Amino acid sequence: MVWWIYLVAAVVLVVSREGCRVEGEDVVTYDGRSLIINGQRKILFSGSIHYPRSTPQMWPALIAKAKGGGVDVIQTYVFWNLHELQPGQYDFSGRYDLVKFMKEIQAQGLYACLRIGPYIESEWTYGGFPFWLHDVPGIVYRTDNEPFKYYMQNFTAKIVNLMKSEGLYASQGGPIILSQIENEYQNIEAAFHEKGAAYVRWAAKMAVDLGTGVPWIMCKQTDAPDPVINTCNGMRCGETFGGPNSPNKPSMWTENWTSFYQVYGGEPYIRSAQDIAFHVALFIAKRGSYINYYMYHGGTNFGRTASAYVITSYYDQAPLDEYGLLRQPKWGHPKELHAAIKNCSTPLLEGVQTNFSIGQFQQAYVFEEGSGGCVAFLVNNDSTNNATLQFRNNSFELLPKSISILPDCQNIIFNTAKVNTQPNERIMTPSKMFDAVDSWEEFRDVIPNFLDTSLQANSLLEHMNTTKDGSDYLWYTLSFQPNSSCTEPVLHIESQGHVVHSYINNKFVEAGHGSHNIKGFTMDIPVDLIDGMNNVSILSVMVGLPDSGPFLESRFAGLTKVEIECNETELYDFTNYTWGYQVGLLGEKLQVYKEENLDEVEWSGEIDHSANQSLTWYKTVFDAPTGDDPIALNLSTMGKGEVWVNGQSIGRYWVSFHTSEGVPSQTLYHVPRAFLKPSGNLLIVLEELNGDPLHISLHTISVADFDSQTPYNHLPR
Ligand SMILES: *[C@@H]1O[C@H](CO)[C@@H](O)[C@H](O)[C@H]1NC(C)=O
Ligand SMILES: *[C@@H]1O[C@H](CO)[C@@H](O)[C@H](O)[C@H]1NC(C)=O
Ligand SMILES: *[C@@H]1O[C@H](CO)[C@@H](O)[C@H](O)[C@H]1NC(C)=O
Ligand SMILES: *[C@@H]1O[C@H](CO)[C@@H](O)[C@H](O)[C@H]1NC(C)=O
Ligand SMILES: *[C@@H]1O[C@H](CO)[C@@H](O)[C@H](O)[C@H]1NC(C)=O
Ligand SMILES: *[C@@H]1O[C@H](CO)[C@@H](O)[C@H](O)[C@H]1NC(C)=O
Ligand SMILES: *[C@@H]1O[C@H](CO)[C@@H](O)[C@H](O)[C@H]1NC(C)=O
Ligand SMILES: *[C@@H]1O[C@H](CO)[C@@H](O)[C@H](O)[C@H]1NC(C)=O
Ligand SMILES: *[C@@H]1O[C@H](CO)[C@@H](O)[C@H](O)[C@H]1NC(C)=O
Ligand SMILES: *[C@@H]1O[C@H](CO)[C@@H](O)[C@H](O)[C@H]1NC(C)=O
Ligand SMILES: *[C@@H]1O[C@H](CO)[C@@H](O)[C@H](O)[C@H]1NC(C)=O
Ligand SMILES: CC(=O)N[C@H]1CO[C@H](CO)[C@@H](O)[C@@H]1O
């Protein structure tokens, strides 16, 4: 549908909002108050669950638990770099089966919001872009650039056509009521000057012209062109959102962060259930009608899918934790809030809103219908004291920093600061220790020297453009002969990310790294050189590609300067020296983490993790714990690396990177049940430092109320 027909349809529907329903198909439109589905205004609660961050086996229970929590809509991004491996070559299998995910949402009677992007950020490597885009001549991402627009339109059309061919839009009887184009573009728009606004107009028109029959949204985009709806992302949209850019558009909140993503070296962000409820209630009081929890279930960044420095566990503090278990009271408290708001949705949606002050820090928001329906939200914004006040001839004592909901303007049925749900806690039940030395075998990866390399260049190559994201690892090697008088040599390395391991003459010398907020780092390492030719091999490691900011296509990573300083005045500058390169580790090239390739290398039964740091592959087998509880590996004694179970990567780990409190950011790593068979599961650990595999342990995970140790994984009554 072209946009103007769409607007006319919206206007007609506002005038006569009954009727108009095509059997089995939902007509989705909107007015200044809310989305309108089959002629009815709706207040909708939505929850983000990203299909590739869990397994298809987990999807039904995750969706059911979201529904149980009072969620009406499941929101997901579409992950371009999982789906389009090479231009025109697609993968929609297994965890990438978007159609199956949408059909599960539909089967459970929920709606879907499909955020195609295709730029998604999402703490996902390269913001969702396939790395091959980088090599398209003349490309500049996310601006008025023909090559970029071609591939963006091509993928967007691919997804829309896939959804249409499966009948998944609400206009076809499917669950999808909204689609998103672009993502928080306004954050970078100014960097592109007038091309930014031109791109926004193009993206909106391109999307609308695809004719999905349901509205499009743009989040954090105040100039979203009609009929695309601009929506808010953030923690406090009730306070920060400037509102829709037209009186005919509803006020929608597409990312109310339930927590925050975590980076290596960072602490988890704990947002209380009370604080979430306060801001959700405030947004509704201020005539908001759609709120999405980002994330409702975060899940796991399997493989190398996390973006730069982001940990493998994603939003574990969401209402459903990484394993899909209820995190209380974050699940139960919003559930009560949703029920309270749903209970008075008619006066909220059809009534006239007024707001007025009822105290120095207190306000009332009242919705009244001609027919007598009345709902009030009483806000106490005093963060320390109760407020005792009069409202409509009744006296109320309001808790500090709270919103009370009165569905009849008389009685409080819900207060955001009063949590009735019992908190719960995670219980880890040990299932197996891997402490038998003879259960492990190891393979030391090979440190390449200059003469072993086939790719050579007279400069320091940019890391990402050299690996093409085929691996985290890039070897920079050289050989050189120092002057005999270079007696106290110091190896000086400057890197733009993320980790460096340095070796001289095949001996480990030192590792260094940057962090999420401090990109570059330098190292000065006194080294021993021999007379004659020395081999210098430096391993540059990336922990995910960047996912945000303008000009992502021209980011620089890897080594920027390498010198050997003999003394204050004399140094060897290797910046323009002849370097030899190797992309990836030998074990990666041989895929030794796969059962069928184990024989490609010699495994040794004599494991010795205390030996000087080197790149070591460890292998063992284990049986799956009985039962259905989720499973995790405790890697607290390891350093940094990646883990595979039956050939599938469960993600990177980086236990040796401590927070300011001196603890690892993540020690538990999810092993999905779907990756396992009953016995003989192959576990492969690639360790970059000198972590101790003998103290890895396997646990089953459950949750229990604080006061009862009885675990439950089901929905409490
Ligand atoms: C998208 O591009 C692929 C090749 O890159 C091509 O086969 C396909 O026809 C294109 N689709 C559209 C809708 O342009
Ligand atoms: C009523 O709400 C409007 C819009 O949010 C705001 O500008 C105004 O200050 C509010 N009035 C009172 C008395 O709180
Ligand atoms: C509550 O008070 C804080 C601090 O003064 C202010 O930033 C915020 O906007 C207020 N919120 C409401 C809902 O009045
Ligand atoms: C409150 O009480 C006064 C005096 O008794 C009465 O006039 C008024 O109508 C009452 N207001 C409401 C909302 O009940
Ligand atoms: C605040 O009000 C609640 C009831 O709304 C009451 O239970 C509590 O004792 C009060 N707290 C204080 C400090 O007065
Ligand atoms: C719904 O609101 C009515 C008053 O309007 C109240 O009597 C009832 O208990 C509420 N139900 C729920 C589930 O909150
Ligand atoms: C990226 O690498 C290719 C070779 O694979 C090279 O031709 C190109 O110039 C490089 N681009 C940049 C920006 O370094
Ligand atoms: C620095 O080292 C060079 C040889 O690498 C030597 O010739 C020179 O005398 C040294 N200078 C000082 C100040 O030690
Ligand atoms: C340097 O590397 C080459 C090629 O692997 C090797 O033959 C030589 O022995 C190495 N030299 C030293 C000092 O390790
Ligand atoms: C090494 O020796 C050569 C010749 O004696 C001299 O030109 C050069 O500056 C020296 N380089 C360093 C880094 O000491
Ligand atoms: C390395 O080569 C580049 C390009 O040829 C040049 O701009 C730069 O100054 C050189 N750097 C050093 C340290 O020689
Ligand atoms: C748009 C918005 O509200 N952003 C806020 C999200 O929350 C973080 C952390 O509390 C704030 O720093 C942002 O301003």
Side-chain angles (χ1 to χ4, degrees):
M1 229 186 308
V2 293
W3 66 269
W4 56 267
I5 295 182
Y6 186 91
L7 268 190
V8 170
V11 170
V12 170
L13 281 162
V14 174
V15 176
S16 95
R17 277 187 288 102
E18 306 303 324
C20 223
R21 183 159 204 275
V22 184
E23 195 55 46
E25 295 169 10
D26 289 333
V27 175
V28 184
T29 167
Y30 59 80
D31 65 5
R33 186 65 191 95
S34 75
L35 288 181
I36 299 169
I37 303 180
N38 293 331
Q40 293 206 305
R41 286 179 176 158
K42 296 270 184 192
I43 288 182
L44 294 172
F45 294 101
S46 166
S48 285
I49 301 178
H50 295 156
Y51 54 98
R53 284 176 157 141
S54 56
T55 60
Q57 290 78 1
M58 293 169 71
W59 295 343
L62 293 175
I63 294 166
K65 289 176 185 180
K67 184 176 183 180
V71 162
D72 310 293
V73 184
I74 303 294
Q75 175 170 300
T76 184
Y77 281 123
V78 178
F79 296 78
W80 188 1
N81 54 15
L82 293 183
H83 295 305
E84 194 168 0
L85 305 176
Q86 290 300 324
Q89 272 177 36
Y90 299 101
D91 184 358
F92 289 97
S93 64
R95 283 190 288 118
Y96 313 160
D97 195 341
L98 174 59
V99 167
K100 183 173 187 170
F101 185 69
M102 287 293 134
K103 288 190 171 169
E104 184 60 41
I105 294 169
Q106 181 173 28
Q108 298 203 29
L110 297 185
Y111 296 123
C113 170
L114 191 67
R115 306 174 85 193
I116 299 177
Y119 169 75
I120 60 170
E121 186 162 353
S122 191
E123 293 70 64
W124 190 262
T125 191
Y126 221 39
F129 285 154
F131 196 79
W132 53 257
L133 274 181
H134 179 267
D135 290 337
V136 172
I139 200 162
V140 183
Y141 305 159
R142 303 178 69 198
T143 186
D144 191 10
N145 168 276
E146 292 307 323
F148 178 73
K149 289 192 301 186
Y150 172 80
Y151 287 105
M152 171 167 167
Q153 174 162 8
N154 185 295
F155 182 71
T156 306
K158 170 79 188 174
I159 295 299
V160 167
N161 291 337
L162 177 65
M163 296 297 107
K164 279 188 190 171
S165 69
E166 299 283 343
L168 289 169
Y169 283 102
S171 50
Q172 303 172 291
I176 305 171
I177 54 167
L178 288 172
S179 308
Q180 177 176 309
I181 194 74
E182 251 295 340
N183 189 57
E184 298 193 349
Y185 184 67
Q186 197 161 284
N187 290 346
I188 63 160
E189 185 168 344
F192 299 106
H193 307 289
E194 69 284 355
K195 286 195 158 192
Y199 168 68
V200 170
R201 287 191 300 273
W202 170 83
K205 181 170 189 308
M206 182 273 285
V208 171
D209 284 350
L210 291 171
T212 60
V214 304
W216 287 88
I217 56 174
M218 281 184 160
C219 59
K220 276 201 181 176
Q221 191 67 42
T222 48
D223 62 349
D226 292 343
V228 175
I229 308 167
N230 59 307
T231 67
C232 181
N233 288 353
M235 289 204 180
R236 292 178 289 274
C237 285
E239 290 168 356
T240 58
F241 188 37
N245 63 13
S246 149
N248 301 322
K249 295 180 186 178
S251 183
M252 299 172 62
W253 186 355
T254 41
E255 288 192 18
N256 169 23
W257 302 324
T258 52
S259 170
F260 212 60
Y261 65 85
Q262 195 180 345
V263 296
Y264 289 109
E267 302 279 351
Y269 183 96
I270 314 281
R271 191 179 181 197
S272 72
Q274 292 92 318
D275 186 51
I276 295 172
F278 180 92
H279 288 280
V280 170
L282 181 64
F283 192 69
I284 296 290
K286 291 191 163 181
R287 295 170 44 88
S289 59
Y290 179 101
I291 294 178
N292 177 69
Y293 294 93
Y294 191 99
M295 299 291 298
Y296 200 81
H297 170 255
T300 309
N301 293 313
F302 295 112
R304 302 190 302 108
T305 59
S307 65
Y309 291 106
V310 167
I311 69 172
T312 291
S313 172
Y314 192 62
Y315 279 79
D316 182 38
Q317 294 291 328
L320 301 179
D321 73 9
E322 177 176 10
Y323 304 94
L325 305 177
L326 305 188
R327 184 175 287 285
Q328 296 287 33
K330 265 194 187 166
W331 182 85
H333 191 51
K335 173 189 165 97
E336 288 184 22
L337 170 63
H338 302 153
I341 290 173
K342 282 298 171 72
N343 190 27
C344 38
S345 54
T346 307
L348 281 178
L349 289 168
E350 307 300 334
V352 173
Q353 187 227 39
T354 51
N355 65 318
F356 46 91
S357 172
I358 48 174
Q360 192 186 355
F361 302 112
Q362 293 78 29
Q363 301 94 37
Y365 292 84
V366 179
F367 296 78
E368 275 184 287
E369 280 182 292
S371 58
C374 183
V375 181
F377 291 75
L378 304 184
V379 180
N380 179 12
N381 197 32
D382 183 330
S383 50
T384 43
N385 301 307
N386 274 3
T388 304
L389 49 79
Q390 293 288 316
F391 175 72
R392 300 216 165 195
N393 295 349
N394 289 326
S395 177
F396 295 98
E397 188 169 23
L398 306 179
L399 291 172
K401 194 74 190 180
S402 75
I403 299 181
S404 301
I405 301 178
L406 295 70
D408 51 2
C409 288
Q410 297 282 329
N411 299 292
I412 296 178
I413 60 157
F414 182 86
N415 179 282
T416 58
K418 187 167 176 289
V419 177
N420 302 315
T421 307
Q422 279 283 315
N424 67 359
E425 63 181 336
R426 180 172 286 170
I427 299 183
M428 290 167 51
T429 309
S431 159
K432 179 179 169 58
M433 293 294 297
F434 291 92
D435 53 356
V437 186
D438 58 7
S439 69
W440 288 99
E441 290 184 294
E442 68 165 42
F443 158 64
R444 298 261 161 125
D445 210 292
V446 174
I447 295 153
N449 291 319
F450 175 76
L451 287 175
D452 310 321
T453 59
S454 51
L455 172 65
Q456 291 173 357
N458 293 324
S459 61
L460 289 167
L461 296 181
E462 195 281 317
H463 184 123
M464 295 178 277
N465 189 37
T466 310
T467 61
K468 306 293 179 199
D469 199 31
S471 168
D472 284 354
Y473 302 100
L474 178 61
W475 283 105
Y476 291 72
T477 69
L478 61 81
S479 74
F480 91 110
Q481 185 163 8
N483 283 356
S484 57
S485 49
C486 192
T487 48
E488 289 178 15
V490 172
L491 175 62
H492 173 81
I493 299 174
E494 296 181 16
S495 170
Q496 282 295 320
H498 297 154
V499 178
V500 153
H501 301 293
S502 50
Y503 301 80
I504 291 194
N505 297 324
N506 289 48
K507 284 219 304 272
F508 174 78
V509 275
E510 196 159 301
H513 65 82
S515 70
H516 185 257
N517 297 332
I518 305 165
K519 307 282 181 239
F521 61 97
T522 62
M523 298 166 71
D524 286 287
I525 319 156
V527 291
D528 290 324
L529 297 177
I530 56 167
D531 292 337
M533 279 297 187
N534 288 262
N535 293 313
V536 177
S537 300
I538 303 172
L539 183 63
S540 172
V541 188
M542 288 197 74
V543 188
L545 301 190
D547 70 334
S548 61
F551 307 114
L552 206 51
E553 69 285 343
S554 51
R555 292 296 164 77
F556 194 99
L559 306 187
T560 52
K561 192 177 195 102
V562 178
E563 294 172 347
I564 287 187
E565 295 164 357
C566 299
N567 57 32
E568 274 154 25
T569 50
E570 296 281 340
L571 59 79
Y572 294 94
D573 182 340
F574 295 121
T575 309
N576 291 338
Y577 202 74
T578 305
W579 287 89
Y581 293 90
Q582 179 184 303
V583 174
L585 307 180
L586 177 64
E588 285 183 297
K589 187 175 154 208
L590 299 174
Q591 300 192 325
V592 297
Y593 44 83
K594 289 188 175 165
E595 187 89 48
E596 63 268 30
N597 300 329
L598 287 175
D599 294 341
E600 296 281 330
V601 298
E602 265 318 286
W603 295 89
S604 158
E606 311 268 294
I607 76 157
D608 178 13
H609 68 85
S610 61
N612 217 348
Q613 292 175 327
S614 62
L615 304 157
T616 310
W617 298 81
Y618 293 104
K619 120 174 135 66
T620 190
V621 290
F622 66 98
D623 295 341
T626 52
D628 295 326
D629 285 345
I631 301 163
L633 281 171
N634 183 338
L635 300 179
S636 58
T637 59
M638 300 306 288
K640 179 184 181 308
E642 188 171 346
V643 176
W644 290 260
V645 173
N646 292 330
Q648 302 209 60
S649 172
I650 64 166
R652 303 184 183 97
Y653 65 88
W654 194 353
V655 178
S656 61
F657 193 158
H658 287 183
T659 71
S660 54
E661 308 285 307
V663 296
S665 296
Q666 184 181 354
T667 53
L668 278 187
Y669 290 80
H670 182 204
V671 182
R673 284 264 175 198
F675 288 10
L676 297 178
K677 46 194 183 183
S679 63
N681 296 291
L682 176 65
L683 172 65
I684 300 279
V685 181
L686 166 62
E687 169 64 29
E688 292 170 25
L689 303 166
N690 55 357
D692 169 12
L694 296 179
H695 289 89
I696 292 177
S697 51
L698 192 70
H699 300 260
T700 56
I701 310 290
S702 55
V703 285
D705 287 346
F706 269 121
D707 46 9
S708 105
Q709 284 293 299
T710 314
Y712 59 85
N713 283 341
H714 54 275
L715 299 178
R717 290 164 310 276

